[in-house]
């Protein structure tokens, strides 16, 4: 060390470092994907020859570019379907890539006007569907839905899908922007084995639920656990519970962001019932600090009986699930006799949203691959590989299903028409996940907010979203 | 000769200045420009919306909450980290008892300690955050197991799941992995302070505390100030630790939300890149204010030796 020059050179460097180090990365990240390119669709490949084997008239020699979300379901099922595509159109070259970072990988490509031909837009880094639709970045999939299905050329693809799947992919008009490939059953997950050990059955009423929990508590087992750090898993059983108590309209009003939608008595009854689980000490100690994986593991270890989750849990928790666990899903228990919907009412909806970008070079090819994926062969391949249902109605004949999936199938059969599908989950992601989920329901179940406080908070969040001009709004028709 | 000096300097500086302009200045300008648009980040078209984003920022509860957290981090992190760093460095270098011929020395085994302290710095922040996430697990984590082992069964906090504790848990981790660096940095600084100063002080009968405040700290002030700036930068960022440890996102009830993470969610989850750049501008302003304050407060006369 010695004297410094009169320049204040060191000051200058320090100052530059201080400003540069933080500001530059955070800002240039954003600007790096600055806009460029035009939105014209002039760069599309030519149409091919329409035939019985090529109903979408794809260009048989054009390359196909596919990006798959590499999450709970992996990517093998997509690779297998791509191989089928390659077999059907030997002249084409399919390039496949898989990532967990859908948005950061694809955002620059969307901005530059060169998106891939088919995307599985899923996972924590999902691109916001509302924005994509609002900015006209997607291809209408009605052409695919009206094409004949692979298995039965007399049937349209549209008619082979499970009820509600097409509607989920629509936003305002009649265009279908998204095709949900997987079919998820949400609810209260449990182990038949662990319930049998307690001499209990899945509780069909809330009183039974409390009784089972009490029984478990005496043996040092918790009734419930949930993904405490991601409390937006709680709605998987809580929302259908609300619909069961007060009818579908309550959820529709919530989805429509109607004023005072959350002040409905059904919401309050449901919240109070869940809050009782906390007050009576039926929730596994430490649950608010657990991730989804940690809560699933604790549940697998028999530390808790019930877990609100979706049907992907069977595949996701495969490594920690004991062999004789006999995983099953239950519909929300009845609160009392005045419930508007019968026991069995459950939340089921499409998962793994597939999209074909508007500026894709080969959008027909993207749709054709989807058509192949919706064939019985590819669909069964998916079911076998990842033990989840697909949007193809049926298709499980002749397969021996793992216990969780078999019970999902049973639950769907039992529910019949009483399947609910709260759209708040895909329409208003930020509101559903962090505001309602983390900041309200999470606090409620951790015992840090009363039902009334939680409801007031949620209503405020919902009102804020309704007022927020930067969020595109949707309504049930 | 004199009149050609600036042209001469400018000639040499042209290229670096151009590079700086393209890669540093232009993104700034661009980002500021985008903060006045409704750009989604998902499509190339957008419109100018004037000050709409800034108005929204002003009314945004979560934004103010995250600014508050950043300011808290800014106050606590440097203070604790540098304080500990100074204390340890002093003990390792001058805090030991007098032995043999050396007038000043560190405590016994100081070279080993230095390595131990520095170790966390070698680990990637992602690994550190993951490790601590396990330690904080309320069911099977090391912390609660330890509390149980010493008989504190009734005290079993949710750590990262508790809005009162989550941010402090994150801070503890950030301090843990940064102290080592400052121990080494300050040790280097201290070793360049001439030994005669200490000898003179010892002859005058100064004790350890006096030596520290009268000699070590003043002569180390430049290093401390630099450390303060760097620690401030860590405090303004905190992105990685928050992202990995409090996967809420942003912790229970926004209790660990910070500007950098909020910006990220707006840009990459909600498709509101325009608003995210506005947050970026806000972050830039906070940073400049911080840098300005540190420079002002830290200015004092330089000692030469």
């Amino acid at each position: 060390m010695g004297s410094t020059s009169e320049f204040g050179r060191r000051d200058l460097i320090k100052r530059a470092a201080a400003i540069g180090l933080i500001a530059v990365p955070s800002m240039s990240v954003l600007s790096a994907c600055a806009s460029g390119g035009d939105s014209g669709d002039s760069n599309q490949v030519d149409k091919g020859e329409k035939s019985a084997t090529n109903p979408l008239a794809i260009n048989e020699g054009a390359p196909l570019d596919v990006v798959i979300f590499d999450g709970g379901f992996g990517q093998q099922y997509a690779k297998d379907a791509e191989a089928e595509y390659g077999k059907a159109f030997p002249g084409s070259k399919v390039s496949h890539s898989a990532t967990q970072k859908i948005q950061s990988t694809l955002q620059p490509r969307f901005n530059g006007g060169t998106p891939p031909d088919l995307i599985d837009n899923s996972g924590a880094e999902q691109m916001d569907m509302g924005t994509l639709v609002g900015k006209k970045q997607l291809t209408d999939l009605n052409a695919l839905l009206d094409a004949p299905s692979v298995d039965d050329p007399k049937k349209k693809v549209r008619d082979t899908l499970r009820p509600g799947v097409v509607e989920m992919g629509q936003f305002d008009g009649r265009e279908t922007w998204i095709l949900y490939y997987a079919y998820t059953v949400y609810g209260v997950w449990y182990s038949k084995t662990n319930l049998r050990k307690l001499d209990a059955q899945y509780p069909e009423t809330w009183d039974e639920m409390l009784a089972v929990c009490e029984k478990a508590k005496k043996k040092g087992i918790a009734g419930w656990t949930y993904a405490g750090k991601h409390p937006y898993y709680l709605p998987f059983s809580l929302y259908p519970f609300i619909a069961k108590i007060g009818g579908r309209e309550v959820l529709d009003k919530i989805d429509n962001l109607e004023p005072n939608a959350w002040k409905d008595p059904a919401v309050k009854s449901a919240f109070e019932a869940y809050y009782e689980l906390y007050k009576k000490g039926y929730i596994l100690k430490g649950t608010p600090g657990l991730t989804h994986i940690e809560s699933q593991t604790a549940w697998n270890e028999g530390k808790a009986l019930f877990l609100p989750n979706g049907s992907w849990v069977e595949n996701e928790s495969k490594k920690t699930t004991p062999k004789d666990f006999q995983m099953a899903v239950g519909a929300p228990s009845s609160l009392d006799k005045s419930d508007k919907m019968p026991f069995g009412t459950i939340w089921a909806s499409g998962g793994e949203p597939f999209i074909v970008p508007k500026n894709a070079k080969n959008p027909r090819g993207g749709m054709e691959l989807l058509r192949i994926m919706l064939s019985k062969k590819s669909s069964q391949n998916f079911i076998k590989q990842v033990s989840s249902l697909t949007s193809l109605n049926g298709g499980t004949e002749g397969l021996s299903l793992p216990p969780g999936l078999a019970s999902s199938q049973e639950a769907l059969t039992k529910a019949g028409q009483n399947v609910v599908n709260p759209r708040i989950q895909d329409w208003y992601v930020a509101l559903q996940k962090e505001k309602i989920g983390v900041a309200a329901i999470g606090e409620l179940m951790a015992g840090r907010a009363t039902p009334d406080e939680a409801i007031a908070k949620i209503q405020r969040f919902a009102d804020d979203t309704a007022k927020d001009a930067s969020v595109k709004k949707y309504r049930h028709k | 000769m004199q009149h050609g000096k600036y042209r001469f300097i400018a000639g040499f500086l042209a290229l670096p200045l151009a590079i700086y302009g393209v890669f540093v200045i232009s993104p700034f300008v661009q980002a500021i420009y985008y903060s006045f648009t409704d750009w989604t980040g998902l499509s190339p078209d957008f419109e100018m919306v004037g000050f709409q984003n800034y108005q929204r920022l002003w009314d945004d509860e979560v934004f103010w909450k995250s600014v508050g957290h950043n300011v808290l981090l800014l106050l606590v992190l440097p203070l604790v980290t540098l304080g500990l760093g100074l204390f340890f460095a002093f003990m390792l270098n001058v805090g030991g008892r007098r032995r043999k011929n050396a007038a000043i020395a560190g405590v016994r085994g100081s070279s080993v300690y230095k390595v131990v302290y520095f170790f966390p710095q070698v680990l990637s922040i992602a690994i550190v955050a993951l490790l601590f996430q396990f330690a904080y697990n309320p069911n099977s984590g090391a912390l609660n197991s330890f509390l149980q082992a010493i008989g504190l069964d009734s005290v079993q906090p949710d750590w990262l799941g508790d809005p009162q504790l989550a941010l402090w848990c994150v801070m503890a981790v950030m301090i843990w992995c940064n102290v080592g660096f400052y121990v080494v940095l300050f040790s280097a600084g201290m070793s360049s302070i001439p030994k005669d100063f200490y000898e003179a002080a010892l002859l005058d009968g100064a004790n350890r505390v006096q030596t520290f405040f009268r000699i070590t700290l003043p002569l180390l002030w430049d290093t401390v100030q630099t450390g303060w700036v760097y620690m401030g930068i860590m405090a303004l960022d905190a992105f990685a630790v928050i992202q990995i440890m409090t996967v809420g996102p942003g912790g229970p009830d926004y209790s660990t939300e910070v500007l950098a993470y909020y910006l990220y969610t707006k840009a990459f989850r909600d498709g509101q890149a325009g608003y995210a750049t506005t947050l970026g501008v806000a972050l830039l302003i906070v940073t400049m204010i911080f840098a300005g304050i540190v420079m002002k407060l830290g200015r004092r006369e330089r000692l030469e030796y």
Side-chain angles (χ1 to χ4, degrees), chain A residues 316-384:
Chain A
E316 197 173 50
S317 68
K318 219 186 319 191
K319 281 190 200 126
T320 53
T321 310
K323 280 226 164 51
D324 62 341
F325 194 69
Q326 291 194 21
M327 194 181 287
V329 61
S333 315
S334 300
L335 187 64
D336 54 40
K337 287 210 182 67
S338 60
D339 283 6
K340 295 260 170 57
M341 292 176 85
F343 176 74
T345 300
I346 207 161
W347 178 356
S349 66
E352 297 301 295
F354 276 78
I355 50 175
V356 178
K358 176 149 242 152
N359 293 331
K361 283 210 175 60
N362 187 5
R364 285 162 197 284
M367 284 195 259
E368 176 63 23
L369 179 58
L370 269 179
R371 197 175 74 95
I372 291 174
M373 285 169 66
L374 287 167
S375 71
K376 205 164 164 189
K377 188 178 173 198
S378 297
S379 188
Q380 290 204 342
N381 184 35
F382 180 80
I383 296 172
K384 268 189 283 188

Side-chain angles (χ1 to χ4, degrees), chain A residues 22 103 107 111 285-286 434 448, chain B residues 41 138-139 161 163 254 264 268 287:
Chain A
I22 331 165
Q103 175 135 12
Q107 197 163 12
N111 271 309
K285 223 170 178 194
E434 58 175 64
R448 292 187 289 255
Chain B
N139 270 335
Y254 296 113
Y264 171 81
F268 297 113
T287 311

Side-chain angles (χ1 to χ4, degrees), chain B residues 18-31:
Chain B
I19 292 177
Y20 188 78
V22 169
F23 291 105
V24 181
I25 306 289
S26 78
F28 271 68
V29 177
Q30 250 184 326

